[in-house]
Amino acid sequence: LFPYTTLFRSKMSTSFAYSDTRAEDLALMLASDTHLGTLNCSKKMQPYVYTRNKGIYFLNLAKTWEKLMISARIIAAIDNPKDVLVVSNRQFAQRAILKFATYTGANYFGGKWTPGTLTNQNTKKYLEPRLIIVCDPRSDHQAVKEASYMNIPVIALCDADSPLSYVDVAIPANNKAIKSIALMFYLLARETLMLKGTIPRTEAWETMVDLFMYRAISDKKPDAAEDEEAADDEAEPEEAAAVKNFRDGDAAEEDDDDEADAFAEGDEAE
């Protein structure tokens, strides 16, 4: 019976539809340094730590992937996507949460959190979401605390040193690196859309993970300035050549006039 039991277990482990992309997702997580934690580790995050090397805690990517799938199922279970609120105070996560909200139809709240957004009905940006997703429970502690007052479940990307107070679903991941943040929200958005049937599982998602990565606005300015300087440098030799030709032409005309005057004076002398 042992071989049949092993075969049954292997079939059970690969029976889920989303398990087809598990190996590729784990490889992407390794490439984006999702497994790299911090030098400190909170007590509640110890079950998600795989090992410690040179003082750095390494997160277990198998549990990261499992928590991603669970979180996607929770998000997909909400009928109205506008009832999902994505929050982040971190600069590197602004583009990631904006793209996540764009593709899934969720609400987006980036930048500094306005106190009373979930608890004070007199504020202009008062919201009543059914679910909140935060990038870092430490930097977004105000949003997490207000969600606990209103009994709103919270999904959070948690690093090795993140506090898990009032966090319902913790996704162990590096929430400080640009590539890791982008990949986490990319995978979460992709799995949510697949569960809702928006995109098929048999085909790869056309959207690239690069669109979720943070990019500074000033990155394009030096390029444009360099192009303008190059165009000016190219234009300056042409202008100089034109001026030189113009001056040479004037000098030639003056020489011709002098020769004509001298010839006319010679004829008068004769």
Side-chain angles (χ1 to χ4, degrees):
L1 295 176
F2 181 73
Y4 295 102
T5 306
T6 306
L7 179 62
F8 178 74
R9 288 180 178 175
S10 63
K11 286 184 177 180
M12 284 290 293
S13 61
T14 59
S15 60
F16 299 105
Y18 54 72
S19 61
D20 297 336
T21 60
R22 183 176 184 273
E24 182 181 354
D25 295 344
L26 293 177
L28 290 174
M29 290 180 191
L30 282 173
S32 60
D33 294 336
T34 305
H35 61 291
L36 294 181
T38 57
L39 296 176
N40 299 320
C41 181
S42 60
K43 185 176 181 181
K44 292 184 179 180
M45 283 297 295
Q46 288 179 357
Y48 302 108
V49 174
Y50 178 72
T51 184
R52 187 184 186 187
N53 187 15
K54 296 180 180 179
I56 300 176
Y57 288 92
F58 288 82
L59 302 173
N60 192 342
L61 291 183
K63 295 185 178 181
T64 301
W65 188 81
E66 291 175 0
K67 284 301 189 75
L68 267 176
M69 299 300 111
I70 294 172
S71 302
R73 285 177 172 270
I74 295 172
I75 298 169
I78 298 177
D79 297 331
N80 185 8
K82 289 295 181 183
D83 289 337
V84 179
L85 179 62
V86 194
V87 180
S88 179
N89 194 21
R90 182 155 291 166
Q91 184 181 8
F92 292 157
Q94 296 304 307
R95 194 177 187 192
I97 64 175
L98 177 60
K99 291 295 182 181
F100 176 86
T102 302
Y103 288 111
T104 60
N107 262 335
Y108 156 82
F109 197 108
K112 182 176 174 56
W113 177 261
T114 304
T117 301
L118 303 179
T119 56
N120 189 359
Q121 297 181 358
N122 296 325
T123 57
K124 295 180 179 179
K125 295 183 179 180
Y126 177 71
L127 298 172
E128 292 181 294
R130 296 181 58 191
L131 177 67
I132 287 183
I133 305 172
V134 298
C135 179
D136 188 356
R138 187 181 297 277
S139 60
D140 303 319
H141 64 92
Q142 183 69 26
V144 175
K145 185 175 289 186
E146 290 187 15
S148 68
Y149 293 156
M150 305 304 292
N151 293 327
I152 301 173
V154 177
I155 297 175
L157 297 182
C158 299
D159 213 330
D161 61 345
S162 297
L164 298 185
S165 301
Y166 310 119
V167 175
D168 297 279
V169 180
I171 303 175
N174 183 358
N175 57 13
K176 298 175 180 61
I178 297 175
K179 295 181 180 179
S180 177
I181 294 172
L183 181 64
M184 288 295 100
F185 280 101
Y186 171 81
L187 295 177
L188 197 59
R190 186 197 67 181
E191 187 62 29
T192 302
L193 294 177
M194 285 183 176
L195 288 171
K196 290 185 175 181
T198 307
I199 57 177
R201 289 190 178 275
T202 55
E203 301 176 3
W205 194 17
E206 296 178 354
T207 305
M208 298 177 63
V209 68
D210 299 22
L211 296 177
F212 287 71
M213 290 185 184
Y214 168 79
R215 185 174 60 186
I217 301 176
S218 60
D219 290 347
K220 288 187 177 181
K221 291 183 179 180
D223 298 337
E226 290 175 2
D227 294 340
E228 292 179 0
E229 291 177 0
D232 294 339
D233 294 340
E234 293 177 357
E236 286 178 359
E238 295 178 358
E239 293 176 359
V243 172
K244 184 179 180 182
N245 293 334
F246 181 75
R247 290 177 179 174
D248 293 343
D250 292 343
E253 290 179 359
E254 291 177 358
D255 293 341
D256 293 340
D257 294 341
D258 295 340
E259 290 177 0
D261 295 340
F263 182 75
E265 292 175 358
D267 291 341
E268 290 177 358
E270 291 177 356

